[in-house]
Every structure is written in structure tokens, then in C-alpha cells.
Amino acid sequence: MSKDGFWNRAFHLYYDGFRSMTLGRTLWAIILIKLFIIFAVLKVFFFPSFLGTHAEKGQEPEFVATELLDRTN
């Protein structure tokens, strides 16, 4: 692949853009904090482990299979 290939030019476009950001760094920090809150904090409090409370230890695949079969009939 040549030095001026598509991937090389695309990489340098983003690299130069991120390197020269001033306000953008603050915005990216806010985005990353929000993603952490969404995936880490909300999952713990609002999405508990359904299989952990309804299926016995080691029987999770059988539980899922029976639930799928029962709901389709």
C-alpha cells in the first residue's frame, strides 16, 4: 500500500484533528463520563442478573432453553 493510501490519510486526518483540539478534549471527557455512568452505574442498579435469581447454578442453559420453548408455544 502506498504512503498516501486511504487508511494513512484517514488516520492522519483524525490524528491531526484530535491533536489540535482545545474544547474538544473537554467534550470527549464528558462523553466518556456519561458512557461510564450509562454502562456501569445504571446496569448495576436497574438491570439485575435475571438468570442469577431465577436459574440454579450450572443450569442456566437449560433454563434459557425451556423458557424459549415455553414462550414460543
Side-chain angles (χ1 to χ4, degrees), residues 11-59:
F11 170 76
H12 284 290
L13 173 75
Y14 284 104
Y15 181 75
D16 291 338
F18 283 120
R19 188 174 46 166
S20 64
M21 282 195 302
T22 55
L23 178 64
R25 292 177 192 218
T26 306
L27 295 176
W28 275 108
I30 292 170
I31 290 169
L32 292 175
I33 291 168
K34 286 173 71 173
L35 285 174
F36 173 76
I37 290 171
I38 289 170
F39 289 112
V41 176
L42 292 180
K43 184 189 180 313
V44 171
F45 291 111
F46 294 108
F47 302 108
S49 174
F50 185 80
L51 284 178
T53 58
H54 290 84
E56 295 178 12
K57 185 75 173 164
Q59 301 298 321

